[in-house]
Amino acid sequence: MAAIARWCLRHRLVVVLLWLLALGGTAAGATLAGSAYSNDYEVPGTESGRATALLDRGFHGLGGDSDTIVWHSDRGSVRADAVEQRVGGMLDEVAELPGIAAVTSPYGDGGAPGQVSEDGHTAYATVTFDAQADDIPEDRARALVDTARAAATDDLQIELGGSAVALTEAPGGHVAEVVGVAVAAVVLFLAFGSLAASALPIATALVSVGIAYSGIVLLGHLMTVADFAPMLGMLVGLGVGIDYALFIVTRHRRGLKRGLSVAEAAETAVATTGRAVVFAGATVCIALLGMLILRLGFLNGVAIAASLTVLLTVAASVTLLPALLSFIGTRALSRRERRTLAERGPQPELPTGFAARWSAFVERHPKVLGAVAVLVMGVLALPTLSLHLGTSDQGNGPATATTRKAYDLLADGFGPGVNGPLTLVAGLDGADDRVALDRLPAALTATKGVASVSPVTYNSTGDTAVLTVVPDSPPQSKATSELVDRLRDDVLPTAGAGTSLDVHVGGVTASYDDFAEIIVGKLPLFVGVVIALGCLLLLLAFRSLGIPLKAAAMNVAAVAGAFGIVVAIFQWGWGSEPLGLGSAGPIEPFLPVIMVSVLFGLSMDYQVFLVSRMYEEWLETGDNRRAVRVGLAETSRVINSAAVIMISVFLAFVLSGDRVIAMFGIALAAAVALDAFVLRTLLVPALMHLLGGANWWLPKWMDRLLPRISIEPPECREAADTRAKIPVQRVTAPAAEERDDDVRDIAG
């Protein structure tokens, strides 16, 4: 690391220009290539996946995205001649739009039955595109919305719903990013007192995140990348990027105050704190890449995109940042600090103020404070026990969105199940199959949980058929999921008994259920692998069994507490509407996987920065009490500052207007807050005081077998090796006690 720092310092202009060239090049490439995101929940081999494939083959295009135009009149019937003429003309225009495969209208001789409500005030038409929503250009979706809404009058309300229509409501602008960066800038300035020093972490993060954002756009052309992946990458990248740079700049400023030159201070900062940054970034990347073991294309792109962002932020922190530090020179210190240094010369920087007093307080009361921390985390984690995984739909959107209005109109006019119909697709092989299929609607109508069944529709060759089942319960309810299972396990096998008829249950609701079931089934393996890899890295770094085990427990606690808060806000609806996040609904099935990856990585960051300082002190003195006290006193302030920055960045993404991104933002902000203010500065040091020297115990045979990964400065390891050769009493008694007295005096 020192060699890298020296090269970057000697070639500072080249380093800055290379990073700016990379930023400009990737941005230009992303602009020319355009985006190609895909929210494909289909998993090969699932029932819903087979239904979609069979529908697309048999009906050539009707497997495309299906959207809805809903019209409603409070004062009259939608069957009135004036309404029928106006809406009918509009539907004819829609049918002529590019990309539209079919329009199913309730009007005319061939009108679809059941598309007018019983009270006659609401009706809807189904619009089918020739492609899935991910492949539909936004201008085509916009043309549909504009054409349909143009027919609205004061007495006729027209709203639209569906995945393609939702493309026109995608949040625009970068308000969330601007707010997050602005708050981070204020916190950095208050922490450093230097405008130049506070600008560097933000500049470093923006450059690396900008390159990563463009890289994710390009990545979408090579593999499946969800449309929220760039925003997630930016959210994580800004948080960790600013924090990593903050830790290095803090160490650099400490070196300047000790009288080191600018180059020496920057080199020392990268060689010491930079090691911890690289190690912390590696743990985040490993946790994110753990998603690959699930073998889900939808999540593979998210994992690689987020890992790319973290990798670039780490690289910028240890290359671009030291180059920028050399440019600003001693201005990394505030004017008062530079004046004090010039007048008094270098002064020893001992932990003072609240940080030292808090560290001493934790040392005196580890049992009580540890119990309080456990109680707080337990209470916050309780809602996690009622976690319900499912996919939020347009009924959870903001009340002002046309998709939410269409959803509510359909639910009021036709029942809650019309917003989540099930599509039954069958492949036919002979007359027996057709006879059995013709009897199926009657059996479905008599099935518990079914509100209505459409007639069977055959394709032109007669080898594929489709029919629609409308549940009597909302798409997100447990009753609808039970109906899907009932159809697959009992009703359909019975109907096809004695024939080769094989009917597949598909549709959006069924595909979401299949996706959630696969996620839940693989979640224990995924969490176990992520925990095991994280523990292995900490074991190699700190040569201790206790440190990684405590870190795993703390990470699980942080995740549980964060999910408890997410469940309360998004699933129970505590404050979701006032925050503009829509109504209460289930938690996205992929959220636990992504959040476990990100949260485990971020939790490891604070564990590494806190314990690495304790480890340095332990290697030098062999005194656990002093190591914990000094490590906490010297790192708690910067960890808390970093946490405030990260929390501000994450919470700012609630302003994005996207429910999924808001979930990420609140979950990450909650986890960081709990991790920094409850776990790392309270529960972890309390436990380490209680365990004493056992914190650093490692069997000798294991120590010999494990490879060495050093994140501590070389002089600390040399001190430990020297101490190992000398009787303990001769090293620890006078020196450690004398320094203990110094710290106690300051804390007092």
Side-chain angles (χ1 to χ4, degrees):
M1 294 301 297
I4 294 175
R6 284 193 297 271
W7 191 92
C8 293
L9 290 168
R10 285 197 301 267
H11 305 87
R12 59 185 186 179
L13 183 59
V14 173
V15 171
V16 173
L17 290 178
L18 286 175
W19 276 99
L20 293 179
L21 181 63
L23 177 61
T26 54
T31 302
L32 293 174
S35 61
Y37 304 126
S38 175
N39 292 335
D40 185 8
Y41 287 90
E42 295 289 356
V43 181
T46 61
E47 179 87 358
S48 57
R50 288 190 289 269
T52 300
L54 184 59
L55 181 65
D56 196 44
R57 287 198 305 269
F59 287 87
H60 305 294
L62 290 187
D65 185 69
S66 181
D67 293 73
T68 307
I69 301 175
V70 188
W71 55 98
H72 174 81
S73 176
D74 287 327
R75 300 183 180 178
S77 172
V78 293
R79 297 184 185 276
D81 291 340
V83 174
E84 182 173 343
Q85 184 176 1
R86 187 174 185 85
V87 174
M90 176 266 290
L91 294 178
D92 290 339
E93 291 182 39
V94 168
E96 298 299 322
L97 292 174
I100 302 298
V103 176
T104 306
S105 168
Y107 297 138
D109 296 337
Q115 290 186 202
V116 177
S117 62
E118 292 184 2
D119 61 9
H121 290 294
T122 307
Y124 71 92
T126 301
V127 179
T128 304
F129 281 87
D130 59 7
Q132 290 296 321
D134 297 324
D135 301 319
I136 298 173
E138 185 180 343
D139 58 347
R140 291 190 175 182
R142 175 65 63 185
L144 168 63
V145 174
D146 293 343
T147 302
R149 296 293 293 271
T153 65
D154 293 340
D155 296 329
L156 183 65
Q157 179 184 3
I158 298 180
E159 307 294 347
L160 295 92
S163 300
V165 175
L167 297 174
T168 66
E169 297 177 332
H174 297 282
V175 176
E177 297 94 307
V178 172
V179 172
V181 170
V183 174
V186 172
V187 175
L188 286 170
F189 182 74
L190 293 176
F192 292 151
S194 166
L195 184 61
S198 60
L200 293 192
I202 293 177
T204 304
L206 288 178
V207 170
S208 58
V209 170
I211 297 172
Y213 189 94
S214 300
I216 294 171
V217 173
L218 297 173
L219 184 66
H221 293 275
L222 303 176
M223 62 186 304
T224 300
V225 177
D227 60 1
F228 62 82
M231 188 69 77
L232 175 64
M234 185 175 293
L235 186 152
V236 175
L238 284 176
V240 300
I242 294 175
D243 271 14
Y244 290 167
L246 165 65
F247 288 123
I248 292 177
V249 172
T250 300
R251 192 68 174 243
H252 174 73
R253 283 164 43 84
R254 185 182 303 169
L256 292 177
K257 292 177 182 179
R258 290 171 47 208
L260 298 179
S261 67
V262 173
E264 291 173 335
E267 180 182 335
T268 302
V270 174
T272 54
T273 305
R275 290 171 182 263
V277 164
V278 172
F279 186 82
T283 61
V284 176
C285 289
I286 288 175
L288 289 169
L289 292 175
M291 285 189 276
L292 297 179
I293 67 173
L294 297 177
R295 298 182 180 179
L296 297 176
F298 178 78
L299 293 177
N300 290 347
V302 175
I304 294 176
S307 299
L308 173 66
T309 306
V310 174
L311 181 64
L312 286 170
T313 59
V314 171
S317 297
V318 297
T319 58
L320 177 60
L321 183 58
L324 294 176
L325 286 172
S326 69
F327 273 113
I328 67 170
T330 58
R331 284 177 295 169
L333 300 177
S334 66
R335 291 183 179 180
R336 186 182 65 179
E337 290 170 333
R338 295 199 300 270
R339 186 168 56 249
T340 301
L341 182 62
E343 293 174 354
R344 303 180 183 177
Q347 299 291 324
E349 188 177 13
L350 295 173
T352 60
F354 178 77
R357 291 194 295 272
W358 174 255
S359 181
F361 182 70
V362 173
E363 181 185 11
R364 291 194 298 268
H365 309 284
K367 293 182 180 179
V368 174
L369 295 177
V372 170
V374 170
L375 179 62
V376 170
M377 296 302 300
V379 170
L380 292 177
L382 282 177
T384 306
L385 299 176
S386 64
L387 176 66
H388 169 54
L389 295 181
T391 302
S392 58
D393 53 31
Q394 294 173 347
N396 300 114
T400 56
T402 186
T403 49
R404 168 72 180 274
K405 293 176 182 177
Y407 188 101
D408 292 341
L409 287 175
L410 287 172
D412 293 341
F414 300 91
V418 74
N419 283 299
L422 306 176
T423 303
L424 274 60
V425 189
L428 305 177
D429 184 18
D432 291 344
D433 288 356
R434 185 156 187 154
V435 171
L437 188 62
D438 288 337
R439 293 197 299 261
L440 182 58
L444 291 171
T445 302
T447 300
K448 177 184 177 182
V450 174
S452 63
V453 181
S454 72
V456 179
T457 301
Y458 296 91
N459 67 345
S460 58
T461 59
D463 62 356
T464 308
V466 61
L467 67 158
T468 300
V469 174
V470 177
D472 61 9
S473 53
Q476 299 173 353
S477 71
K478 185 178 180 181
T480 302
S481 298
E482 291 174 348
L483 173 61
V484 172
D485 294 337
R486 192 178 305 120
L487 294 178
R488 290 173 173 174
D489 298 338
D490 300 327
V491 178
L492 297 179
T494 301
T499 70
S500 60
L501 179 66
D502 189 11
V503 184
H504 304 289
V505 180
V508 175
T509 303
S511 66
Y512 286 165
D513 281 354
D514 289 343
F515 185 75
E517 183 177 351
I518 289 177
I519 290 289
V520 171
K522 295 185 176 182
L523 193 58
L525 171 64
F526 166 73
V527 173
V529 169
V530 171
I531 291 177
L533 289 175
C535 288
L536 177 61
L537 283 175
L538 291 179
L539 176 63
L540 295 176
F542 296 116
R543 323 297 296 181
S544 160
L545 288 178
I547 297 299
L549 292 177
K550 284 197 295 292
M554 298 302 107
N555 292 348
V556 171
V559 170
F563 268 107
I565 294 173
V566 168
V567 168
I569 294 176
F570 291 93
Q571 185 176 313
W572 296 353
W574 290 6
S576 59
E577 289 283 10
L579 289 174
L581 304 175
S583 62
I587 306 303
E588 303 292 334
F590 55 80
L591 188 74
V593 174
I594 298 176
M595 294 311 301
V596 165
S597 297
V598 176
L599 293 179
F600 264 66
L602 296 181
S603 296
M604 284 295 187
D605 282 358
Y606 291 143
Q607 179 76 3
V608 169
F609 289 116
L610 173 65
V611 178
S612 62
R613 182 63 190 94
M614 296 179 180
Y615 188 49
E616 291 178 17
E617 197 67 28
W618 163 257
L619 290 176
E620 289 187 356
T621 67
D623 185 341
N624 178 75
R625 292 177 56 197
R626 172 175 172 79
V628 175
R629 182 174 59 256
V630 171
L632 178 60
E634 292 189 2
T635 61
S636 60
R637 181 179 178 183
V638 68
I639 285 178
N640 292 340
S641 297
V644 170
I645 291 172
M646 204 176 280
I647 292 167
S648 302
V649 171
F650 292 156
L651 285 181
F653 278 78
V654 175
L655 303 175
S656 67
D658 186 289
R659 179 181 174 87
V660 173
I661 293 298
M663 278 190 188
F664 285 134
I666 290 177
L668 290 171
V672 170
L674 294 174
D675 202 308
F677 302 122
V678 179
L679 297 178
R680 305 303 165 186
T681 57
L682 180 55
L683 185 54
V684 168
L687 288 176
M688 294 187 74
H689 277 302
L690 292 174
L691 292 175
N695 288 304
W696 316 102
W697 179 78
L698 182 70
K700 292 183 179 180
W701 63 267
M702 187 178 293
D703 187 45
R704 289 192 299 268
L705 292 176
L706 292 176
R708 288 198 174 274
I709 299 179
S710 298
I711 63 173
E712 70 279 355
E715 58 269 20
C716 293
R717 174 56 57 187
E718 292 171 3
D721 293 340
T722 301
R723 181 169 50 82
K725 300 175 183 178
I726 303 175
V728 175
Q729 295 84 350
R730 292 174 56 188
V731 174
T732 58
E737 289 179 5
E738 182 178 349
R739 288 195 283 183
D740 283 350
D741 293 338
D742 292 340
V743 176
R744 290 195 185 98
D745 291 341
I746 294 170

